[in-house]
Amino acid sequence: MKYLIGIDVGTSGTKTVLFDENGIAKTSATVEYPLYQPQNGWAEQEPEDWWNACIQSLKTVISSSGIKADDIAGIGFSGQMHGLVMLDENGEVLRRSIIWCDGRTVDECDYITKTIGAERLIEITANPALTSFTAGNILWVKNNEPDIYKRCRVVLLPKDYIRYKLTGKYGAEASDASGMNMLDIKTRNWSKEVVSELGIDISLLPEVKESCDVAGHITAEAAALTGLKEGTVVVYGGGDNMAAAIGTGVVDEGKAFITIGTSGVLFAHASSVAVDLKGRVNSFCSSAGAWAVFGCSLSAGMSLQWLRNNFFLAEMKVAEGLGEDTYNLMTKQAERVPIGANRLLFLPYLMGERSPILDPNARGVFFGLSAIHNKYDMLRAVMEGVVYALRQSLDVLRDMGISFSQIYATGGGGTSPLWRQMIADIFELPVTTIQNREGPALGAAIMAGVGAGLYPSVTSACEKIIKVNPSQNPIPENSKKYADYYKLFTDIYPGMKEGFQTLAKL
């Protein structure tokens, strides 16, 4: 029996999972790290924190599994997208990484749009200039920290940095590079036109490969630090959503998944390039050699985490005493609140918003808050608001002619039966879960298996490994109740947009 390791470099922590060749998780370990917010709307992390978490989680997984390092056939990656890692000539980190939920680059995005042209930018990269994307972050450093920019010799994304630390080799791959505003997603390579027009040195960008290609092998130094065997195959891996698509079997036309993690994503597979010319959703290369279209809500699970950390401290203590997850206690309370949260709605824009409103200045709102409401109404409103925000992306996908008959649910939110039922009712589609809940880490391991020769292709691996649970179907009477609240939800932001812009300038 051969084994594979999937490493998911996330926002809250790095999770490492050891799978057998049948996709069964044998052991896993997660190591968390902080998020730094030096100013309102900024978000940064230390790449060294990711690396230390990788080392610790690998050591834990290997030592606790009883598996010989010789039997591990390959390593694959899933990673938070867009984060800017800048290295000097010695491969040393120059500054904290500006990560995906940072909104500081409004001026840089305006510059990118004016310089390339809104239509031309979407024509090449399939996406508008977004504050979370890497090109804007590079320009921000160039404009505000010129000494650091001058010293930079390599630009990497988060998981690519960890792969470099394990193999000693720089590299990029098409799925994650799609989120940098510099990749021509039709050719799956850097756009010389975009990079040149923006004044970014193309030599900073590593060669682009595919997710399942072999990127290198574990070095002697990395082997000593982690317990892996020197020479073990390491593949390029993919962005977190692309890895999650593989881990849920969304690698064929007509399939989609929804994930509620720190952010929320509605992701559909596409066998050819599909672009929304209004830029309301993102079109990227997939890790399965095709393409993907998805909408992203920046503060999905983050909104629930914010509510927990500020309003549910007593429940956190009780859960700790019971050895239970606080979110389980919270959702039991949310179940007791009626649909509509007693006429309370929540806009989950704590870090601005991407799809479909593209507004870094948007902020969270409780709409309809009155003296009758308590924290449990707020809890229900937050959970519903997250699903309403993702439903807006579904509407855009339908406008583009992209359809599917059911949705696979993954991420932390996907483990909640209440949240899954909300999705089924609000989307009016069956919601299915995968028996293996590892999602992105499993997708990363499957990529490693293809690169190591255990599987002939991603599709055949998914056919062998991915097994589904019975669906949760929409409840028609619930769907009718949600419909009126959803209509009101879509009306709130347009009426507040100007106010958000004013607030940002105060």
Side-chain angles (χ1 to χ4, degrees), residues 406-452:
Q406 68 176 19
I407 300 176
Y408 299 97
T410 185
T415 65
S416 166
L418 175 60
W419 233 337
R420 292 200 304 269
Q421 192 61 54
M422 285 182 182
I423 295 166
D425 293 340
I426 293 170
F427 282 40
E428 297 185 72
L429 289 169
V431 176
T432 304
T433 56
I434 305 301
Q435 289 182 13
N436 190 319
R437 294 182 177 182
E438 297 299 345
L442 176 58
I446 289 173
M447 288 183 249
V450 174

Side-chain angles (χ1 to χ4, degrees), residues 150-418:
K150 288 177 183 176
R151 292 168 58 199
C152 182
R153 294 295 177 269
V154 181
V155 167
L156 297 177
L157 295 166
K159 67 141 187 5
D160 297 334
Y161 173 71
I162 298 304
R163 193 183 61 246
Y164 154 67
K165 295 290 283 185
L166 288 171
T167 66
K169 296 187 180 297
Y170 300 133
E173 52 76 34
S175 76
D176 218 353
S178 299
M180 296 178 73
N181 259 154
M182 295 182 288
L183 192 84
D184 183 332
I185 74 161
K186 299 181 184 71
T187 65
R188 304 171 82 91
N189 212 334
W190 304 119
S191 167
K192 293 181 180 178
E193 176 184 338
V194 171
V195 175
S196 174
E197 289 290 324
L198 296 181
I200 296 172
D201 186 350
I202 200 167
S203 69
L204 299 178
L205 306 176
E207 186 178 6
V208 181
K209 296 289 187 177
E210 293 296 327
S211 296
C212 297
D213 289 347
V214 175
H217 300 82
I218 296 295
T219 64
E221 182 181 1
L225 289 170
T226 63
L228 291 166
K229 180 185 176 182
E230 181 182 357
T232 302
V233 167
V234 180
V235 302
Y236 281 89
D240 50 7
N241 293 309
M242 288 66 168
I246 293 176
T248 52
V250 178
V251 295
D252 302 299
E253 199 77 37
K255 290 186 177 180
F257 78 82
I258 188 170
T259 182
I260 300 177
T262 304
S263 62
V265 170
L266 177 64
F267 179 111
H269 178 88
S271 56
S272 59
V273 179
V275 178
D276 175 49
L277 296 178
K278 297 178 182 178
R280 295 170 296 174
V281 293
N282 303 127
S283 297
F284 288 178
C285 300
S286 78
S287 287
W291 289 267
V293 184
F294 64 90
C296 178
S297 182
L298 294 179
S299 303
M302 181 185 288
S303 293
L304 191 62
Q305 183 184 52
W306 167 82
L307 192 76
R308 181 198 68 177
N309 293 348
N310 289 281
F311 294 91
F312 286 84
L313 298 179
E315 285 79 0
M316 291 174 72
K317 290 183 179 179
V318 170
E320 184 179 1
L322 295 174
E324 190 170 351
D325 189 332
T326 306
Y327 292 120
N328 290 339
L329 299 183
M330 291 170 65
T331 53
K332 287 176 183 176
Q333 295 293 340
E335 287 174 348
R336 299 167 61 183
V337 179
I339 289 173
N342 292 311
R343 296 190 180 124
L344 181 65
L345 288 98
F346 176 71
L347 274 60
Y349 306 153
L350 300 186
M351 299 295 291
E353 186 58 313
R354 187 186 298 181
S355 306
I357 66 174
L358 301 175
D359 188 352
N361 293 320
R363 289 295 178 264
V365 173
F366 279 104
F367 183 83
L369 189 66
S370 74
I372 70 165
H373 292 119
N374 57 39
K375 68 179 185 179
Y376 303 111
D377 297 311
M378 296 169 71
L379 169 60
R380 177 95 191 193
V382 166
M383 296 183 73
E384 292 179 352
V386 167
V387 183
Y388 291 145
L390 289 166
R391 166 63 195 269
Q392 288 188 283
S393 290
L394 174 65
D395 293 345
V396 175
L397 294 183
R398 285 173 170 166
D399 286 347
M400 296 172 65
I402 297 173
S403 63
F404 35 88
S405 58
Q406 68 176 19
I407 300 176
Y408 299 97
T410 185
T415 65
S416 166
L418 175 60

Side-chain angles (χ1 to χ4, degrees), residues 31-55:
V31 178
E32 298 183 349
Y33 32 70
L35 171 72
Y36 300 96
Q37 293 186 272
Q39 295 187 35
N40 184 28
W42 290 23
E44 299 181 346
Q45 288 187 319
E46 290 282 4
E48 197 66 20
D49 288 343
W50 305 331
W51 175 230
N52 289 332
C54 178
I55 293 171

Side-chain angles (χ1 to χ4, degrees), residues 106-138:
V106 174
D107 291 342
E108 285 73 21
C109 288
D110 287 343
Y111 172 78
I112 292 170
T113 302
K114 291 174 183 176
T115 301
I116 307 299
E119 291 185 6
R120 182 59 177 159
L121 184 66
I122 293 178
E123 181 182 341
I124 297 171
T125 72
N127 297 288
L130 300 179
T131 55
S132 58
F133 281 17
T134 321
N137 294 334
I138 294 172

